[in-house]
């Protein structure tokens, strides 16, 4: 004050007091003010405003008190106690959901669920896409708290001062009673449970620091005494060790495992034993990886054979190399395989030699992706049997796929016990809006069998986003003809030529009318279209000279 007086004496103006800034009324208050200017509103009109602007509840009621008095406010409160529905807000309400101390029920599309509270506050809850969560107060200290998750798991807990004293639970094939006990070092959970074949008591302990967790069970299973003990110890972020011992009338099993990390290196190991009336089985395995290179090995002792597996992989830039060796020794003999592979994302090669009891096999395969649309695969296989037979097969396939065309061509050939050559190809393309054309053909020649060939074409029109009308015809090596008019209803929207090419055999519903004419050998073709368009679930036909009409329906579930 003295400084201000000195400034005034010196001729300096005094500082102006800070202006009082009043908060701008919210949209709800503004809407209510506009409604009041038209006259005394109906309570239902005010209720609609309060429901629309629930975040401004206190300000709205304060304005009502000031403008129309307590008697009108009570009329609004009474009106809100009834059940009301709003199409605009897509909700059903009773009471005032914005009143934290009142009773209400609200089912709302905006909140994707429902919530409620009784007037005394004893019964509250909500139900939405995450599940059900509800609480019922028994007295000032005690309450029942129920939950049901969207996955169908449910709990009913007795809580005192907000802390669970025990709960019932059920779901996913298990139900029981449990309680958590807070200890200085961690949490102990005890309970009774039925899970699968086991019924009995259990206890679980988890240390606060997350280093130790154990699980012990005792009860009955499979008609006899059963029990188990398992635990995990994590002395550091780099080390984890686990172990378990279990027994029931069917088996006794022991399992141990561990992992260790050192920089980029990670080491794992595991061993298990199982004793049953049939004998003892078990395995011993280990692995190592540094992010780019990995090695793993496992020995398995079974009831009828012993197996050994060694594998590894290595990454170098875009290249990935893999290799594996497997051996299986039984009373019948020793079998095994040795394989390797390489890929760089666009090209891949793999090779494998397999030694079996009846034959030895060699496989060499590869693939290359020329572009996002064009790819090719190939495989060469050779098999030599112990009886002296042999078979060599070659398979090549090319595929092209774009927004306007889906095309494929494949060749398979064999020499040895079976000598054959087969070629198939097909093309589907979009030639206009909702209009598609297709062509396909095949040729197969095998020693000792009749040579077969087919050549076909089709035109497809899509009058609806999930419907297609196709007219197709096919000719075989004997001059036999089959035509088909087919209506397909698909499960999903026809996105383009890809849908026509991929799903013409598995439409939700297919109706067709077909005409067939016998070839030079007098054989009625029948069914040449089935491989491309699907075989009917029900059909009937009528012959007319050398021709035959057939109608059919196919329904996929």
């Amino acid at each position: 004050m003295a400084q201000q007086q000195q400034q005034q004496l010196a001729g300096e103006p005094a500082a102006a007091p800070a202006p009082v800034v009043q908060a701008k009324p919210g949209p709800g208050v503004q809407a209510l003010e506009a409604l009041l200017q038209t006259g005394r509103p109906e309570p239902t009109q005010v209720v609609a405003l309060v429901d629309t602007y629930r975040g401004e509840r206190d300000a709205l009621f304060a304005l009502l008190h000031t403008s129309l008095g307590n008697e009108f406010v009570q009329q609004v409160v009474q009106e809100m106690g009834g059940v009301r529905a709003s199409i605009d807000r897509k909700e059903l309400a009773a009471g005032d959901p914005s009143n934290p101390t009142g009773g209400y029920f609200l089912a709302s599309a905006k909140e994707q669920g429902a919530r409620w509270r009784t007037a005394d506050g004893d019964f509250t809850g909500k139900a939405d896409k995450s599940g059900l969560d509800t609480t019922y107060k028994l007295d000032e200290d005690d309450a029942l708290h129920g939950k049901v998750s969207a996955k169908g798991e449910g709990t009913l807990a007795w809580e005192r001062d907000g802390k669970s004293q025990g709960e019932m639970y059920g779901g996913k094939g298990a139900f029981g009673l449990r309680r958590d006990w807070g200890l200085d070092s961690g949490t102990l959970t005890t309970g009774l449970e039925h899970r699968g074949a086991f019924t009995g008591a259990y206890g679980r302990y988890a240390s606060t620091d997350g280093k130790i967790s154990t699980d012990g069970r005792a009860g009955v299973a499979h008609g006899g005494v059963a029990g188990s003990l398992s635990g995990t110890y994590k002395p550091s972020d780099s080390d984890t060790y686990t172990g378990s011992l279990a027994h029931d009338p069917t088996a006794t099993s022991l399992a141990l495992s561990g992992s260790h990390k050192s920089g980029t290196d990670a080491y794992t190991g595991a061993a298990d034993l199982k004793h049953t009336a049939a004998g003892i089985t078990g395995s011993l395995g280990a692995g190592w990886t540094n992010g780019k290179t990995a090695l793993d090995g496992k020995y398995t002792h079974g009831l009828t054979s012993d197996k050994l597996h060694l594998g590894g992989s290595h990454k170098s830039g875009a290249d990935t190399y893999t290799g594996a060796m497997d051996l299986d020794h039984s009373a019948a003999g020793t079998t095994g395989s040795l394989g390797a592979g390489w890929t760089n994302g666009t090209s891949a090669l793999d090779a494998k030699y397999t030694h079996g009891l009846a034959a030895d096999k060699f496989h060499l395969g590869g693939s290359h992706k020329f572009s996002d649309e064009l790819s090719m695969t190939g495989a060469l296989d050779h098999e030599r049997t112990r009886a002296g037979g042999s078979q060599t097969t070659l398979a090549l396939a090319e595929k092209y796929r774009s927004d306007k065309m889906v095309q494929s061509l494949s060749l398979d050939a064999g020499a040895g016990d079976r000598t054959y050559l087969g070629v198939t190809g097909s093309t589907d393309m979009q030639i206009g809006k909702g209009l598609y054309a297709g062509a396909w053909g095949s040729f197969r020649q095998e020693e000792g069998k009749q040579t077969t060939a087919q050549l076909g074409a089709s035109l497809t029109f899509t009058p609806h986003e999930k419907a297609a009308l196709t007219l197709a015809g096919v000719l075989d090596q004997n001059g036999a003809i089959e035509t088909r008019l087919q209506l397909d209803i698909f499960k999903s929207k026809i996105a383009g030529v890809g849908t026509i090419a991929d799903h013409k055999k598995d439409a939700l519903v297919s109706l067709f009318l077909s005409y067939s004419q016998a070839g030079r050998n007098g054989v009625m073709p029948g069914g040449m279209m089935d491989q491309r368009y699907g075989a009917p679930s029900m059909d009937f036909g009528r012959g007319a000279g050398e021709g035959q009409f057939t109608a059919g329906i196919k329904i996929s579930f």
Side-chain angles (χ1 to χ4, degrees):
M1 177 63 74
Q3 183 179 4
Q4 183 179 10
Q5 292 174 347
Q6 291 175 358
Q7 290 174 340
Q8 291 174 339
L9 290 173
E12 297 181 8
V20 178
V21 180
Q22 294 184 350
K24 182 179 179 181
V29 172
Q30 296 180 38
L32 180 56
E33 289 175 341
L35 181 63
L36 292 174
Q37 291 177 2
T38 63
R40 184 182 182 88
E42 294 294 329
T44 54
Q45 294 177 285
V46 178
V47 170
L49 278 177
V50 175
D51 283 339
T52 303
Y53 302 100
R54 292 193 175 105
E56 300 181 48
R57 176 186 182 277
D58 293 342
L60 292 171
F61 275 101
L63 179 58
L64 286 176
H65 270 287
T66 303
S67 303
L68 300 177
N70 184 66
E71 181 180 353
F72 183 81
V73 170
Q74 293 305 315
Q75 294 177 15
V76 173
V77 172
Q78 183 177 1
E79 185 68 31
M80 294 192 76
V83 178
R84 56 197 182 276
S86 171
I87 297 177
D88 293 338
R89 293 188 301 274
K90 297 179 181 179
E91 66 177 30
L92 178 68
D96 184 0
S98 60
N99 185 357
T101 61
Y104 69 88
F105 172 84
L106 175 65
S108 168
K110 180 180 179 181
E111 298 184 15
Q112 297 184 349
R115 52 187 173 94
W116 61 89
R117 182 185 187 276
T118 55
D120 56 11
D122 288 346
F123 184 38
T124 61
K126 67 174 183 176
D128 54 29
K129 61 183 180 180
S130 64
L132 171 70
D133 190 332
T134 182
T135 301
Y136 180 73
K137 289 184 179 180
L138 301 174
D139 51 39
E140 290 298 322
D141 301 318
D142 301 294
L144 294 178
H145 187 183
K147 292 182 178 181
V148 178
S149 72
K151 296 181 180 180
E153 299 171 306
T155 60
L156 179 60
W158 166 37
E159 295 179 345
R160 170 162 289 177
D161 297 328
K163 185 177 180 179
S164 176
Q165 305 299 304
E167 67 180 16
M168 295 188 296
Y169 63 93
K172 289 190 175 181
F175 60 88
L177 301 170
R178 64 190 174 202
R179 179 178 179 179
D180 293 335
W181 307 82
L183 307 177
D184 293 338
S185 59
T187 302
L188 174 65
T189 301
T190 58
L192 300 173
E193 180 179 68
H194 173 77
R195 181 182 295 274
F198 173 82
T199 301
Y202 72 93
R204 286 197 302 264
Y205 170 78
S207 62
T208 304
D209 57 14
K211 292 184 176 182
I212 299 174
S213 62
T214 61
D215 188 305
R217 296 170 180 269
V220 295
H222 303 292
V225 177
S228 65
L229 179 64
S230 63
T232 299
Y233 175 52
K234 295 186 66 174
S236 67
D237 293 338
S238 301
D239 300 279
T240 302
Y241 306 100
T242 63
S244 65
L245 175 65
H247 171 77
D248 64 36
T250 64
T252 300
S253 59
L254 171 68
L256 299 171
S257 65
S259 64
H260 171 72
K261 292 182 179 180
S262 177
T264 59
D265 297 296
Y267 305 87
T268 59
D272 64 83
L273 285 174
K274 188 174 184 179
H275 179 264
T276 65
I280 297 176
T281 60
S283 66
L284 179 65
W288 164 80
T289 181
N290 66 356
K292 292 184 176 181
T293 304
L295 295 173
D296 67 281
K298 188 175 184 179
Y299 168 72
T300 303
H301 173 70
L303 296 175
T304 59
S305 67
D306 292 338
K307 298 179 181 180
L308 175 66
H309 166 81
L310 296 174
S313 65
H314 176 70
K315 292 183 179 180
S316 178
D319 298 295
T320 300
Y321 305 88
T322 59
M325 182 186 73
D326 291 274
L327 291 174
D328 189 336
H329 178 72
S330 65
T334 301
T335 61
S337 65
L338 181 64
W342 163 82
T343 180
N344 66 355
T346 58
S347 299
L349 292 174
D350 67 282
K352 188 174 184 180
Y353 167 73
T354 303
H355 173 72
L357 296 175
D360 290 339
K361 300 179 181 180
F362 176 77
H363 166 81
L364 178 63
S367 65
H368 180 68
K369 192 173 183 179
F370 297 93
S371 65
D372 291 340
E373 293 84 15
L374 181 61
S375 63
M376 179 173 285
T377 60
L380 177 65
D381 291 271
H382 178 75
E383 179 180 2
R384 181 171 292 277
T385 65
R386 298 285 178 266
S390 66
Q391 180 68 35
T392 302
T393 58
L394 172 67
L396 297 173
E398 170 266 339
K399 292 183 178 180
Y400 177 85
R401 188 182 188 96
S402 69
D403 294 338
K404 300 294 184 181
M405 177 182 289
V406 176
Q407 176 266 329
S408 65
L409 180 65
S410 63
L411 177 145
D412 63 305
D417 295 339
R418 292 177 56 220
T419 301
Y420 61 89
L421 173 65
V423 181
T424 61
S426 67
T427 300
D428 289 279
M429 67 180 70
Q430 184 172 356
I431 58 176
K433 185 177 180 180
L435 189 61
Y436 306 88
W440 72 95
S442 66
F443 171 84
R444 188 170 189 84
Q445 184 181 47
E446 183 170 349
E447 187 175 355
K449 295 184 179 181
Q450 181 186 8
T451 299
T452 61
Q454 288 186 2
L455 182 62
S458 64
L459 189 64
T460 299
F461 171 62
T462 56
H464 185 269
E465 64 178 13
K466 291 186 178 182
L469 183 64
T470 299
L471 176 62
V474 63
L475 176 71
D476 74 2
Q477 73 281 352
N478 294 313
I481 298 175
E482 183 178 353
T483 61
R484 179 181 289 200
L485 179 63
Q486 180 162 318
L487 175 64
D488 295 311
I489 307 298
F490 296 98
K491 300 176 184 177
S492 57
K493 181 180 178 181
I494 298 174
V497 67
T499 305
I500 301 295
D502 298 340
H503 300 291
K504 52 180 167 275
K505 289 182 62 176
D506 58 3
L508 184 64
V509 178
S510 296
L511 299 169
F512 76 84
L513 179 64
S514 177
Y515 173 76
S516 302
Q517 182 175 311
R520 292 183 295 272
N521 58 0
V523 177
M524 189 68 65
M528 288 196 295
M529 294 285 190
D530 292 349
Q531 186 175 0
R532 184 171 176 83
Y533 295 103
S537 305
M538 298 176 289
D539 64 352
F540 61 91
R542 173 175 295 181
E546 294 183 352
Q548 178 174 316
F549 287 93
T550 304
I553 181 172
K554 178 176 69 70
I555 302 175
S556 301
F557 296 97

